[in-house]
Structures are given as C-alpha cells and as structure tokens.
Amino acid sequence: MASVAAEMAEHYLLAAIVASILAFLFLAGIRGRKAARGRKRTDDGDPFAAGKEQYHSDTDGCGVPDVIVVGAGVAGSALAYTLGKDGRRVHVIERDLSEPDRIVGELLQPGGYLKLVELGLQDCVEEIDAQRVLGYALFKDGRNTKLPYPLEKFHSDVAGRSFHHGRFIQRMRQKAATLPNVLLEQGTVTSLLEENGTIKGVLYKNKAGEELKAFAPLTIVCDGCFSNLRKSLCSPKVDIPSSFVGLVLENCELPFPNHGHVVLADPSPILFYPISSNEVRCLVDVPGQKVPSIANGEMASYLKTVVAPQIPAQLHDPFISAIDKGNIRTMANRSMPAAPHPTPGALLMGDAFNMRHPLTGGGMTVALSDIVVLHNLLKPLRDLHDVSSLCKYLESFYTLRKPVASTINTLAGALYKVFSASPDRARNEMRQACFDYLSLGGVFSNGPISLLSGLNPRPLSLVAHFFAVAIYGVGRLLLPFPSPKQMWIGARLISGASGIIFPIIKAEGVRQMFFPATVPAYYRTPPCQLKHQDGW
C-alpha cells in the first residue's frame, strides 16, 4: 500500500514539474510577443531604433567606440556615415533627432554635390523633391544677367541642389543609421571629458535625463553655430553682419527656372531659389543685428514698402501673398574664422568651427570638403588609440582644409560687402563694376562662378578676379577722359577693395591659405604598421 502511495506521489510530482515547465514556456511566449510588439512600436516611432539595437549587440564586450560625434547635422551625419563605412565604431549624440526646420542650409553648390558623391551620399538628395540648380541670375536697377555654372566638363548629374533642409538632414541620418557600427542617440552633451590635456570623451544627458559618460580616442564636435563646446577647442570671434528674413513663395515661377536669383537691392541683397517643385525660398538680408519686429507688424510693413518694389515684377504678387500669410522667420547671419587650439583627442568641424556669410551658400560645401580631407587623413591610422600619431594627423587637418575653406569663406565675406549698397560712391562704383564684369560672360563670369560654386576654389584665382573687378571699375571711371575727381574715386575704389578683402584673408591666415606646403603640419607620412602573424 505504501509503495502504491509512493508511486502516486511520484506521478503527481512529475505531473507538477511538467505543468510548471509548460506554464513557464507559456508565460515566456506571452512576454516575448509583448516585447516584440514593444520593439515594433519603438521602431515605428524612431527610425534609428534598429540601428541602435544592432550597434549595441555588435559592441557589447568590444570596448569603447572609435569616434564620438557631437551633433547630427550635415557635418555630423555625413561624418558618421563616412567613418562608419570604413569600419570605425561611431557614437553620434544629437540634441534633437526630429526633423529640423531652418531657413538656411537649403542650397548645395555643385562643388558640394561632388563631395557628396565622393562620400557615397548622393542618394540623400533623392526622394526629397530636391531641385537641380544650374547657375545664378543677377538683378540690378532693372537689368539682369544669367550666370550659368561651368558644368561642361562634368557628368550630367553634376549640378547644384536645393531642397528643404530638414528632409536632407533626415535622409543623411537614416543612411548613417543603416550601418551596424553607427549609433545615433538623442542626448545633450554638456562638457568634454579631459585628462592631462587630452580629450577622452564627453559628459551628456540622454533623452531620459540620465547623466552619462561616453569615451572614445577621438571626439569630433560639430554641434552647429550655437555650439557650447567650441570655447575649449578654439578662439571664437563671432561676427553678426546681418540677418536673413525668410519667406516661402508658393506656386510661382522664377524668371530663370532652376537658377538662384540675387537681387542687388538697397540696402543689401535679396535671394530667391526653389526648394521644392512648388515652393521658392526668399531670403531678405537686413544689415545689422536688429531687425524690424514681426509681432507688431513692422516687419510686414518693411517688406512691403522697402523690399517689394525692388524685386522682379514676376515675383511681386507671390511675395506680397507670402507676407500676408504671416509665416515670416528670421535668422542671424554669423561669420567666424577658423581659429583652432589643436587639442589631443578632439576636433572641431562644421559651423561649430568655421562660419561665413550664407549669401553664397558655401557652408555645406566647406563641411563636406572638410570631411573628405579628414577621411583621407585618418585612413592610414588603423589604431586611433595611438595618441601621438592621432594628434599629429589632426594638426594636419586644420592646414589641409585651408585652401578650399578659406577661398569660399573669403568670397562670401567679400561678395556680401560688394553687393551691399553704400553711401560711399567708390563702394557703389565697385558694386556696379562687379555687375558689369560678370555680365561680360565667358572667362569673366566663369572664373568667379567656378569659385562661388566650389568647382574651382583656388585662393589666387579669387584674388585675381576680385582685383580685376576693381581695375575694371577704375577703367570705366577714367574712360574716355579722366578728371581729377574720377581719378580720386578710382583710387578710393582700389583702396576700398583692398580694405574689403585683405582683412578677411588675414583672419583666414595668409600662410595657410596661399602657402600651405610651408606649414610644418601640412603632410604626415602614414605611421609604420606592425605586421602580426595573422596578417596586417
């Protein structure tokens, strides 16, 4: 009887164990399905979620990332993709990963598009209703001249591109996030982590508000024009010469389709260019740091009474309609020469490092060109933990970028001053001479437009054309018969031209701009690679 009872107890125990196992599997299945649904909801709400999960699974147990990138704008996103494509582990920390909404950063020059192609990012201007830009049209006092980009020697795809800034940024971010070794995280970097003069990483707050530390042998700061980190890496001298007032004109045709339009108005230029198939961006430059108030109607009145009479007749009614809709926005135009403090373990890029007046739309071209330079420079460095070699290579970056960046920066600052009206007759003569010089066409327009477009950013070519315009202006004054007054104005014109361009060149660095090969850090030979038994 006892044996039967024992056998029954054993069966009951076995049944209990089997029931427990089945219950456990059932509950685990339910939790797994809930987790899967939770992940799906996260993925639907965050286009970068899959990349985050993959990144964490790839880097668990593999140590710190190779590079921390602060900011995921044009520079940060392109940099993350470029370095990630090389196999580097990249951790990008961006304050806000939602689609940005800005009134600048909407025109990519052909030179910038070529850099985009070089980086493998040209598909980021697809599927966002981007418009091809083939050149400029210049308007002054009822006259106009068409200035095409010199694209004859390039593939048919090569042209400028204009678009909604936010759409372009999101495409770049999404492309970077497709790489398994790139993590895009929303968070605010509050400070750089320094040890014995070397930057080791960053202190940041994630989206949940938790304060965290991230470490990497290289930290690249490209958090934009409002950067709170640049002061420890450079000597920022930010100038605000003017502000842009932005409007969007809907369902209107530009006088010259697929061209940017520059109106040499009084007191300063007005820009028009397409940003989609049915929208035209208008940017009205207002000199100084103070703009008329939008809230009390001063801005609308200024635009209607001062600006509207000076724009092409074809755009007048859509311009007034855009004002009446009330979606008027302003943005300060900042200029800041590059003045880095070479710091081991850290690098500055983008608008956090270097800004120029946005009149010529050169900012994205400079940023993408800088990324190409840095990419080529770091390629021989397999181990970024080699602090000594890395520091020397980063020094070289600041020199190697100079000829292209300084040419575009100098042209932007000089053209803004030349294109702005002035009570000084000599300055106005220079302005008229510039319009007439470009109107000559051929080499007289191709050279300056090659500089502006980033297709031929050579400092000597810039200086040559700038003073050719000044000499052309003097010639107009002195022919057919010079008078003492005209000679005096001509002398002041040359003096004024020198006063415009030389201070900008000085701020950019004469030696680095014109004679970079004489700078000790110009070129570094690749470090010796040690051969291991299992290969290189």
Side-chain angles (χ1 to χ4, degrees):
M1 192 76 180
S3 62
V4 173
E7 187 176 345
M8 289 180 65
E10 185 177 341
H11 285 165
Y12 286 141
L13 179 61
L14 182 62
I17 292 172
V18 171
S20 298
I21 291 171
L22 290 173
F24 175 80
L25 292 173
F26 178 73
L27 291 172
I30 292 174
R31 291 187 64 184
R33 286 194 293 273
K34 285 183 178 179
R37 286 197 296 272
R39 278 196 300 273
K40 185 177 187 306
R41 283 194 296 271
T42 303
D43 291 353
D44 291 344
D46 182 356
F48 313 112
K52 291 176 186 175
E53 183 178 341
Q54 181 66 43
Y55 177 93
H56 284 304
S57 67
D58 287 350
T59 56
D60 283 347
C62 295
V64 299
D66 299 305
V67 182
I68 293 170
V69 176
V70 182
V74 173
S77 301
L79 191 59
Y81 177 77
T82 303
L83 296 179
K85 195 170 59 170
D86 274 358
R88 314 250 190 211
R89 295 190 302 273
V90 185
H91 184 181
V92 186
I93 305 171
E94 161 60 36
R95 183 183 58 82
D96 185 358
L97 284 172
S98 61
E99 184 174 311
D101 183 16
R102 299 180 63 197
I103 64 172
V104 293
E106 298 172 315
L107 176 61
L108 180 65
Q109 296 287 3
Y113 179 76
L114 285 173
K115 298 299 179 185
L116 208 65
V117 171
E118 192 170 344
L119 296 171
L121 287 163
Q122 67 271 25
D123 56 340
C124 291
V125 296
E126 298 171 2
E127 300 177 9
I128 59 172
D129 199 16
Q131 304 297 298
R132 286 170 57 82
V133 179
L134 304 176
Y136 279 86
L138 206 57
F139 294 77
K140 185 179 187 297
D141 301 331
R143 295 173 56 203
N144 65 72
T145 184
K146 187 177 175 182
L147 307 169
Y149 292 135
L151 299 172
E152 298 81 9
K153 297 179 181 179
F154 297 94
H155 189 274
S156 59
D157 284 343
V158 178
R161 294 291 193 282
S162 53
F163 37 68
H164 279 270
H165 174 81
R167 296 175 187 173
F168 179 57
I169 294 297
Q170 290 303 87
R171 287 278 288 164
M172 299 259 279
R173 290 173 176 173
Q174 287 162 9
K175 181 142 188 179
T178 61
L179 298 176
N181 49 321
V182 173
L183 167 65
L184 265 70
E185 181 179 7
Q186 186 160 303
T188 302
V189 175
T190 53
S191 64
L192 300 173
L193 298 175
E194 184 181 337
E195 182 180 313
N196 299 324
T198 299
I199 301 301
K200 298 293 186 179
V202 299
L203 181 69
Y204 72 103
K205 288 185 178 180
N206 65 10
K207 193 175 181 181
E210 301 169 306
E211 192 165 76
L212 303 171
K213 292 180 180 179
F215 297 94
L218 176 58
T219 299
I220 302 177
V221 176
C222 35
D223 54 346
C225 61
F226 300 109
S227 174
N228 64 331
L229 303 175
R230 65 160 67 104
K231 287 184 179 179
S232 57
L233 299 174
C234 75
S235 301
K237 296 180 181 178
V238 180
D239 180 35
I240 303 179
S242 66
S243 294
F244 269 155
V245 179
L247 299 163
V248 175
L249 281 56
E250 297 178 343
N251 301 312
C252 69
E253 290 188 9
L254 290 165
F256 296 90
N258 298 106
H259 282 66
H261 293 55
V262 183
V263 181
L264 303 189
D266 188 356
S268 52
I270 306 164
L271 307 180
F272 296 92
Y273 51 86
I275 55 172
S276 74
S277 51
N278 63 346
E279 295 168 299
V280 170
R281 168 66 70 195
C282 171
L283 295 174
V284 178
D285 185 84
V286 178
Q289 298 185 18
K290 187 177 180 181
V291 296
S293 170
I294 296 175
N296 64 14
E298 286 180 5
M299 179 64 78
S301 176
Y302 173 81
L303 294 173
K304 287 181 177 180
T305 58
V306 177
V307 178
Q310 301 186 71
I311 66 174
Q314 190 171 333
L315 298 173
H316 183 273
D317 289 347
F319 182 76
I320 296 297
S321 177
I323 297 169
D324 290 339
K325 285 181 181 177
N327 189 20
I328 304 171
R329 301 172 60 190
T330 65
M331 179 172 176
N333 294 325
R334 291 171 172 81
S335 176
M336 185 183 77
H341 301 152
T343 305
L347 194 72
L348 270 171
M349 293 190 78
D351 284 351
F353 173 47
N354 183 205
M355 292 180 279
R356 76 290 310 147
H357 195 286
L359 173 69
T360 58
M364 289 189 287
T365 301
V366 171
L368 295 171
S369 175
D370 283 355
I371 291 168
V372 170
V373 170
L374 182 65
H375 175 233
N376 293 334
L377 196 60
L378 291 181
K379 232 174 183 179
L381 276 176
R382 299 191 178 188
D383 181 12
L384 297 184
H385 288 84
D386 184 347
V387 177
S388 176
S389 292
L390 179 60
C391 187
K392 290 175 181 177
Y393 272 70
L394 297 186
E395 263 186 80
S396 300
F397 166 76
Y398 290 127
T399 302
L400 288 166
R401 70 178 294 275
K402 268 294 181 180
V404 172
S406 296
T407 301
I408 293 172
N409 294 343
T410 303
L411 180 66
L415 269 188
Y416 176 69
K417 291 184 178 180
V418 170
F419 280 177
S420 296
S422 171
D424 182 356
R425 185 180 168 186
R427 283 281 298 274
N428 280 331
E429 286 289 344
M430 181 74 177
R431 188 184 193 216
Q432 186 64 51
C434 189
F435 179 87
D436 292 343
Y437 182 89
L438 293 171
S439 298
L440 294 173
V443 68
F444 303 103
S445 65
N446 282 350
I449 296 300
S450 290
L451 290 164
L452 184 147
S453 63
L455 294 172
N456 181 32
R458 296 182 182 176
L460 287 174
S461 178
L462 167 62
V463 173
H465 279 288
F466 190 81
F467 281 102
V469 169
I471 293 167
Y472 177 78
V474 172
R476 290 171 63 257
L477 281 168
L478 299 184
L479 294 175
F481 303 106
S483 68
K485 183 179 180 181
Q486 289 170 326
M487 292 174 68
W488 171 241
I489 294 171
R492 286 175 51 223
L493 192 156
I494 295 291
S495 174
S498 302
I500 288 173
I501 198 166
F502 286 143
I504 302 173
I505 290 174
K506 182 180 178 183
E508 289 292 329
V510 176
R511 187 181 177 191
Q512 292 90 336
M513 188 171 174
F514 293 97
F515 311 105
T518 67
V519 179
Y522 180 75
Y523 179 75
R524 301 285 182 187
T525 56
C528 295
Q529 300 289 346
L530 297 177
K531 188 174 182 179
H532 300 284
Q533 290 181 354
D534 58 349
W536 289 94

